Structures are given as structure tokens and as C-alpha cells.
């Protein structure tokens, strides 16, 4: 690998992709990134002139669903080009190199492209027992992660694991798995949550970063605004049924057959920021709600610890029993109501059994008094 | 401190004495108006809020023929705006209104007499003392309850508008003003849950509040329900003083 990196355009032409396909790819990318009418030209320009940004893709505690999603990106160019661009450098799941050879790439990239490469992280580091629950290349993953991050230009947190912790961080979190921003504090991080994130969202983000050499605009929670500024619910095609009040009440009922809203079946679309209802999955074929199952909120923080996926009201685990807000509220109202009944009873008994106090004149019973009442 | 109970006339919750007289104008028109508008808005918010959490049975037929959830949510959001604007107005009134209009916003926990009154009032509710004290504004226990209610109200407004901003969009003023709520609870599911629990705490407040108001009105030495209607506090045993 030489320090003089070829451009994206040179690379794809070398791979036999036509100029026409390249221009199509540029327009598509510009559109999916929401770059506006002149976007295609700036994408093309960036890809033709700027040297490729090296990408290192590391894996911590994870299930590899992010990589699986990524390699299924719909647009063939996005897949071939972006993927080859990355595997050239480092992704231990899909690259050709192995063992010491692969390890050498990491150090080489770190030295040669100090402050210039992108670190993409899939999965997260467990911290308990000095990180021994995830050993990668003979060392705790957390050490290698912070080492590679220290010389990176920016960090991409792939998926809910790297962004929020995901199921390996579920209570009681025995390995103390933490999202990567808990251990990488001095680098800009873009979070691309989802379990896994949508392929087009992943390629969109990585294309943006490698193309423009900076992170896209991020929201309050560090997610790229272009893909995470609306909820599933905002663009869901079943939304008219929600507004009308037409719900699936039970699996396989008439409403389910008619494609009514899955709100009562615990759909988390109203609280989930992701692009599923617009981009959809597997090349736009479908997405969970379209195939009749509610959103489980897989791109949201803590989605794994919020009770059943099939409950509308979130389960609250208090004193070892799981109840929802209405059950807790009604129980409290019951207790208070009973308390008041008892209190009123005692009050009445005491009123009846004690003599009227002579220092208190009950004036309301005096019709001649103008201030009565 | 015991002799405070033997004082003639009324004291306010911080020990300020009033001349002995039978009626005092306590709740100004603005405060009473706010009270009832607020109570109405909260009633609408609780009913519509409950239905947002657990919607009514599904309606049959074409979606285009109905807007049931739409109307429920519309009622909730309109009442939410009424509540929030009313609260801002009430806050403003605390600055321009009489001394009792400030009470619910400042529980004088640093005041010894007030704390003593709090315990005394608690004893009265636990049937441990024979007579309640007389207060011109809120009695210390009521005062503490009202101030806690104000805190819950602020929470409901902040969490409510934060949830609203999710529909209004990340570039809305609601998000600019209340988006910080999502820095505390990154997953809006938690905001829904807390907002929902907030409703139950208000329902409980209202139940106790109405019970106490009616009970005090019957038992104690001062008017309560007519006070929040007419504004005047009547002290019923002061006619001979
Ligand atoms: C006393 C005041 C309030 C009460 C008792 C109340 C009650 C509720 C309840 C029970 C819910 C359902 C929560 C769930 O999903 O489980 C809800 C949702 C909501 N409330 Fe409130 N609320 C109050 C004030 C407000 C205010 C001031 C606003 C601001 C406009 C507001 C906006 C919302 C929004 C946007 C939702 C979510 C609606 C949806 O998901 O479709 N609320 N409220
Ligand atoms: C039938 C319903 C209600 C009745 C009869 C009622 C009665 C009263 C009375 C008598 C007072 C004056 C307390 C005193 O004398 O110290 C009062 C004050 C107050 N009530 Fe209610 N109330 C009702 C509903 C509500 C509801 C639903 C709420 C809100 C959840 C509420 C919130 C308040 C507040 C915040 C004050 C303090 C007013 C101030 O000082 O600005 N009330 N109410
Ligand atoms: S199915 Fe889910 S996301 Fe779609 S409208 Fe219903 S609640 Fe919203
Ligand atoms: S619909 Fe919801 S649960 Fe399903 S993939 Fe999208 S964000 Fe995740």
C-alpha cells in the first residue's frame, strides 16, 4: 500500500465500471444524502479528484449483522466500490488477509495515515475484568479500539452495539459492555444505530465521510440528520390507519389482514428514529411493518431493556415485578382512594361522637347572617 | 410555639398576622380563572392522554372515513397549549398579583413557623390535634402540596412539548426549546413512560385535593370551596372577636 492513494473514480474505472454507471451512482448518492440539485456534480467532483480516505473496520462484541447488512446494499456500485474500498484496508470478516499479515495492516495504516483514516467500529468493548471478555488478536478489544481511535480522523459507530450498547449491554450486563463513546472521548463520532443499520444508510454515511472528508451534520444524539431526523411513525404507510383509529387488536384478526396500524401490538414506530419507512430493506422490497410486524425500536437507546416488544405501554421493572404505567397508576389511585375512604370514615365518626366545640360557631346554618356560606 | 394555636384572628403561613376580621380577599380573579381553566385543561389532558396510551377499540371500514386518533390527539395538544399558556400567565401573575398569588411558587421551607405549621397540619389530618389552624392563603400542608403540583406541572409541560416536537420535527421551535429532554432520556419511549406516570401523579393530587377541599370546607374554621369561586376567605368563628 502506498501513501499516494488513488481516487475513488480511478479505482472503479480500473475495476471496469463505465463512466455512465459512475454518473448514475453519483446522482443516486446525492439524492439519498439529500444534497440538493447540484449535489450530483459535487459528488462526482469529490470522487474524481480527492484521494480515497482509508477506512479501518473493527469488530468488538457483536453479531456481525452490520457487516451482513452492509454487503447487501442494493445499488451494485455502492456494494462493489465502497466494499472494495474498505476491504483494501481492514475488515477482519471480509478481507483476504489474515493473522499477522492482517494485524500489520492496522499498524501500517495508523502510522502512514495518522489523522487521516476513518475508524468504523462494529460492536463494542466490554470493560469488566480489564476487557478480557473480548480478546482480539491476543489483546483486549478495548485497548486496540482506543489505540486505533487515537490516530483516526473520525469514528463511525456502526449499529446499536457501538452506538448504545445493544443486547450484550442488557441488564445485568455481566461483561460491562459499553457504547464506544464511553471509551473514545476525543474524536468526532457519528452514530449509525440500528440492529443492523439499513445498508443504504451505511453506504450513504460512509460515502459521505470518505467523499467529503468530514462527518455529516449530526443531531443531538450524534446521529446523521440526513437519515435519522424522522421517526418510523412519521413516514409509515399505515399512518392513515393510526390517525383513523384502526388498529390490529390481535395477531391474525381482521385488522391484521387489512393492514391496520400495529400500535396496539406494541409497534415502537412512534418513538424510533430510523429510515426504514422511507428507504425500506433489501433494496426497497419491504420493512418490518410492511410484513405485518411492529417496529421493535432497534435503533433506539435501551430498546432491549424496555419490556415486551408487543406491549404498547412500556414495562417498568419496579421491586422485581414488571408493570406498566397504567397498572402502577391505578394501583396507587386505589390505595389513595381507600385511604381517603378510611379517612372520611374516621372523620365522620369523630364528628358524630364528639360534642360541638363551643368556640366554633357554624354560621352557614344561620339564615340571618349575610356572610353565611 | 403551642400558643400560636390560641392566637385570635388568622395568620398567614409565615406568621404574618391579619387584623381579626371575618373575610379576606385571597384569590384574585386571575388566580381563580386560572384555577378553573387549569382544572378543565387537566381533565381533558388526562382523558385524551389515557386514550393515547390505550386507544379505543378499532373502528371498521375505510380509513378515510375516520379521524378518531387524530381528534383525540388534537384535543390533547390543544388542551396542552391551554395548560402551558395558562401556566405562563399564572407565573406572570405571581409577580403582579397579591402576596397569596406567589405562594404556590415559593414554599418557604426556610421559615420555622411554616415548618411547624406543616407538622401541625399533618397532625390535624392524622386526628392528633383537635382544631386546625386558620390561614389566609394556603395552609402549609396545602402549600407544600400545591408547590409539588407546580413541579409536576412544569415536568408535564416540558415532557409534553418534547414529545410534541417529535411530530413537529427537529427544526421546530418546540424541539429547540424542549429537545434537551432527550438528552436526559435519549429514547422517547422513556419520556412517554414518565409523562404517563406524571398523569397518574396529577390524578392522585386531584383526588386528594378535592377531598381535602370539601372536608376543610365542612370541618375547618374557614371557607375553601367558596374561596376559589369568589376569592374570599371567610373565617367562621371570628364573629365575636
Ligand atoms: C397535566 C398535563 C398532561 C397530562 C396528564 C398528559 C397525559 C398524557 C398521557 C397519559 C399520554 C400518553 C403517554 C403514552 O404514550 O403512554 C400523553 C401523550 C402525549 N402528550 Fe400529554 N399530558 C399532559 C400535558 C401535555 C402537554 C402540555 C403537552 C404539549 C403539547 C402534551 C403532549 C403530549 C404528546 C405530544 C403526547 C404523545 C402523543 C402521541 O404519541 O401520539 N401533553 N399525555
Ligand atoms: C372539583 C374540582 C376542584 C375543586 C372543588 C377545587 C377546589 C380548590 C380550592 C378550594 C382551592 C383553594 C385551596 C385553599 O383554600 O387553600 C384550590 C386551589 C388550587 N387548586 Fe383546586 N379544585 C378543584 C380541581 C382542581 C384540579 C383538577 C387541579 C389540578 C390538578 C387543581 C389545582 C389547584 C391549585 C394549583 C390550587 C392553588 C391555586 C393558587 O393558589 O394559585 N384544582 N382548589
Ligand atoms: S404501524 Fe407503527 S409506525 Fe406505523 S403508524 Fe402504526 S404505530 Fe406508527
Ligand atoms: S422497523 Fe424498527 S425495529 Fe425494524 S429495523 Fe426499522 S427501526 Fe429496527
Amino acid at each position: 500500500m502506498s501513501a499516494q492513494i488513488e481516487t475513488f473514480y480511478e479505482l472503479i474505472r480500473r475495476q471496469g465500471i463505465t463512466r455512465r454507471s459512475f454518473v448514475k451512482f453519483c446522482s443516486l448518492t446525492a439524492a439519498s444524502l439529500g444534497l440538493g440539485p447540484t449535489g450530483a456534480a459535487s459528488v462526482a467532483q469529490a470522487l474524481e479528484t480527492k484521494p480515497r480516505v482509508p477506512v479501518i473496520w473493527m469488530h468488538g462484541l457483536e453479531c456481525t449483522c452490520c457487516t451482513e447488512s452492509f454487503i447487501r446494499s442494493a445499488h451494485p456500485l455502492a456494494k462493489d466500490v465502497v466494499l472494495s474500498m474498505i476491504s483494501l484496508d481492514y475488515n477482519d470478516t471480509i478481507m483476504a488477509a489474515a493473522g499477522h499479515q492482517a494485524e500489520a495492516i492496522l499498524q501500517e495504516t495508523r502510522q502512514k495515515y495518522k489523522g487521516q483514516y476513518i475508524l468504523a467500529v462494529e460492536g463494542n468493548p466490554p470493560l469488566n475484568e480489564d476487557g478480557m471478555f473480548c480478546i482480539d488478536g491476543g489483546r483486549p478489544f478495548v485497548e486496540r479500539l482506543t489505540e486505533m481511535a487515537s490516530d483516526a480522523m473520525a469514528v463511525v459507530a456502526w449499529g446499536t452495539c457501538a452506538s448504545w450498547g445493544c443486547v450484550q449491554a442488557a441488564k445485568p450486563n455481566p461483561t460491562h459492555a459499553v457504547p464506544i463513546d464511553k471509551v473514545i472521548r476525543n474524536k468526532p463520532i457519528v452514530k449509525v444505530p440500528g440492529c443492523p443499520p439499513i445498508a443504504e444508510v451505511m453506504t450513504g454515511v460512509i460515502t459521505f465521510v470518505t467523499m467529503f472528508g468530514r462527518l455529516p451534520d449530526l443531531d443531538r444524539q450524534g446521529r446523521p440528520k440526513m437519515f435519522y431526523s424522522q421517526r418510523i411513525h412519521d413516514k409509515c404507510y399505515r399512518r392513515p390507519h393510526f390517525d383513523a383509529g384502526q388498529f390490529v387488536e390481535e395477531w391474525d384478526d381482521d385488522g391484521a389482514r387489512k393492514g391496520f396500524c400495529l400500535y396496539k401490538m406494541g409497534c415502537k414506530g412512534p418513538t424510533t428514529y430510523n429510515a426504514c419507512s422511507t428507504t425500506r430493506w433489501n433494496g426497497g422490497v419491504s420493512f418490518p411493518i410492511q410484513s405485518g410486524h411492529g417496529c421493535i425500536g432497534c435503533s433506539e437507546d435501551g430498546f432491549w431493556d424496555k419490556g415486551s416488544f408487543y406491549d404498547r405501554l412500556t414495562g417498568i421493572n419496579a421491586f422485581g415485578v414488571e408493570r406498566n404505567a397504567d397498572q402502577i397508576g391505578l394501583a396507587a389511585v386505589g390505595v389513595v382512594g381507600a385511604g381517603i375512604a378510611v379517612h372520611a370514615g374516621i372523620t365522620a365518626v369523630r364528628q358524630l361522637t364528639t360534642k360541638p366545640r363551643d368556640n366554633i360557631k357554624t354560621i352557614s346554618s344561620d339564615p340571618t347572617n349575610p356572610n353565611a356560606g | 410555639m403551642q400558643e400560636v394555636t390560641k392566637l385570635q384572628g388568622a395568620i398567614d403561613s409565615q406568621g404574618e398576622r391579619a387584623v381579626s376580621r371575618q373575610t379576606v380577599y385571597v384569590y384574585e380573579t386571575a388566580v381563580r380563572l386560572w384555577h378553573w381553566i387549569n382544572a378543565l385543561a387537566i381533565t381533558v389532558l388526562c382523558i385524551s392522554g389515557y386514550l393515547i396510551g390505550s386507544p379505543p377499540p378499532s373502528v371498521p371500514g375505510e380509513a378515510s372515513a375516520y379521524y378518531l386518533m387524530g381528534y383525540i390527539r388534537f384535543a390533547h395538544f390543544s388542551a396542552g397549549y391551554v395548560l402551558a399558556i395558562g401556566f405562563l400567565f399564572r407565573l406572570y401573575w405571581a409577580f403582579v398579583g397579591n402576596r397569596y398569588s406567589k405562594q404556590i411558587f415559593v414554599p418557604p421551607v426556610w421559615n420555622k413557623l411554616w415548618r411547624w405549621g406543616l407538622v401541625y397540619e399533618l397532625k390535624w389530618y392524622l386526628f392528633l390535634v383537635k382544631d386546625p389552624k386558620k390561614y389566609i392563603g394556603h395552609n402549609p400542608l396545602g402549600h407544600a402540596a400545591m408547590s409539588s403540583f407546580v413541579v409536576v406541572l412544569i415536568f408535564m409541560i416540558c415532557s409534553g412539548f418534547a414529545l410534541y416536537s417529535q411530530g413537529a420535527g427537529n427544526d421546530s421551535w418546540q424541539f429547540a426549546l424542549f429537545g434537551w429532554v432527550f438528552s436526559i432520556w435519549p429514547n422517547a419511549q422513556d419520556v412517554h413512560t414518565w409523562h404517563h406516570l406524571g398523569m397518574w401523579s396529577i390524578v392522585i393530587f386531584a383526588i386528594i385535593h378535592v377531598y381535602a377541599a370539601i372536608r376543610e370546607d365542612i370541618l375547618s374554621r374557614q371557607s375553601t370551596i367558596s374561596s376559589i369561586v369568589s376569592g374570599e376567605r371567610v373565617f367562621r368563628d371570628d364573629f365575636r372577636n
Side-chain angles (χ1 to χ4, degrees), chain A residues 193-196 198 232 267-269 272-277 281 287-289 293-300 303:
Chain A
C195 191
I198 305 169
I232 305 294
C267 177
K268 303 292 183 288
T272 304
Y273 286 86
N274 206 341
C276 306
S277 50
W281 284 83
F287 75 116
I289 291 167
H293 190 286
C295 167
I296 63 171
C298 76
S299 54
E300 287 292 320
F303 84 91

Side-chain angles (χ1 to χ4, degrees), chain A residues 246-247 263 326 343 357 371, chain B residues 22 52 58 61 125 131 196:
Chain A
Q246 298 184 311
F247 304 102
Y263 190 70
D326 277 349
H343 198 268
R357 282 153 286 172
N371 290 310
Chain B
Q22 57 206 36
I52 290 170
S58 207
Y125 272 96
D131 290 318
H196 207 121

Side-chain angles (χ1 to χ4, degrees), chain A residues 231 233 242 263 270 312-313 325-326, chain B residues 41-42 45-46 48-54 69 73 76-81 83-84 153 156-165 191-193 195-200 202:
Chain A
R231 299 168 299 170
H233 190 59
F242 172 85
Y263 190 70
R312 162 66 193 97
L313 300 176
D326 277 349
Chain B
I42 283 179
L45 281 163
C46 288
S48 57
Y50 180 82
L51 291 176
I52 290 170
S54 312
M69 265 317 254
R73 292 170 77 242
H76 195 77
F77 305 154
S78 321
Y81 270 99
L83 183 89
L153 206 57
M156 291 308 278
I157 291 171
C158 293
S159 57
F161 275 96
L163 291 177
Y164 191 87
S165 78
V191 182
H192 274 266
T193 303
H195 192 72
H196 207 121
L197 286 171
M199 172 182 82
W200 287 110
I202 287 183

Side-chain angles (χ1 to χ4, degrees), chain A residues 80-319:
Chain A
D80 291 349
V81 175
V82 181
L83 192 60
S84 56
M85 181 167 81
I86 290 161
S87 69
L88 269 178
D89 299 338
Y90 186 89
N91 178 341
D92 52 24
T93 313
I94 49 181
M95 68 185 179
H100 293 297
Q101 199 190 355
E103 290 309 299
I105 296 175
L106 281 185
Q107 293 313 321
E108 197 180 301
T109 307
R110 195 169 147 235
Q111 280 150 17
K112 264 196 193 151
Y113 306 110
K114 195 172 162 71
Q116 290 169 6
Y117 64 91
I118 304 289
L119 177 65
V121 186
E122 181 174 351
N124 58 23
L127 303 185
N128 265 359
E129 310 287 353
D130 299 321
M132 298 304 264
F133 291 106
C134 184
I135 300 291
D136 175 11
R139 285 164 66 205
F141 175 65
V142 60
E143 277 178 25
R144 290 168 42 108
L145 175 66
T146 44
E147 185 179 282
M148 287 309 291
S150 64
D151 288 326
M153 174 180 93
V155 181
V156 179
W158 283 144
T160 304
C161 301
S163 304
W164 306 122
C166 212
V167 286
Q168 62 271 46
K171 282 173 195 143
N173 193 358
T175 66
H176 194 202
V178 293
I180 61 165
D181 60 356
K182 291 275 186 293
V183 295
I184 302 172
R185 297 191 174 276
N186 51 358
K187 293 288 166 187
I189 298 179
V190 52
K191 293 183 172 182
V192 189
C195 191
I198 305 169
E200 283 70 25
V201 170
M202 299 178 77
T203 49
V205 170
I206 204 79
T207 311
F208 187 98
V209 179
T210 51
M211 218 157 44
F212 296 111
R214 64 174 176 89
L215 295 186
D217 283 349
L218 304 183
D219 69 5
R220 182 181 292 276
Q221 308 193 21
R223 301 171 294 203
K225 282 183 178 165
M226 54 183 71
F227 296 114
Y228 293 88
S229 43
Q230 275 186 323
R231 299 168 299 170
I232 305 294
H233 190 59
D234 293 320
K235 286 278 173 69
C236 177
Y237 78 105
R238 296 193 184 202
R239 182 62 188 265
H241 293 298
F242 172 85
D243 288 333
Q246 298 184 311
F247 304 102
V248 177
E249 307 273 354
E250 262 176 78
W251 297 119
D252 292 333
D253 68 359
D254 198 40
R257 276 188 287 279
K258 288 185 175 143
F260 284 178
C261 166
L262 294 156
Y263 190 70
K264 287 189 179 176
M265 304 313 291
C267 177
K268 303 292 183 288
T271 51
T272 304
Y273 286 86
N274 206 341
C276 306
S277 50
T278 37
T279 309
R280 309 198 182 195
W281 284 83
N282 301 319
V285 171
S286 181
F287 75 116
I289 291 167
Q290 196 171 337
S291 40
H293 190 286
C295 167
I296 63 171
C298 76
S299 54
E300 287 292 320
D301 183 24
F303 84 91
W304 53 89
D305 264 341
K306 305 234 177 289
S308 167
F309 293 147
Y310 305 102
D311 286 338
R312 162 66 193 97
L313 300 176
T314 305
I316 303 162
N317 207 322
F319 314 112

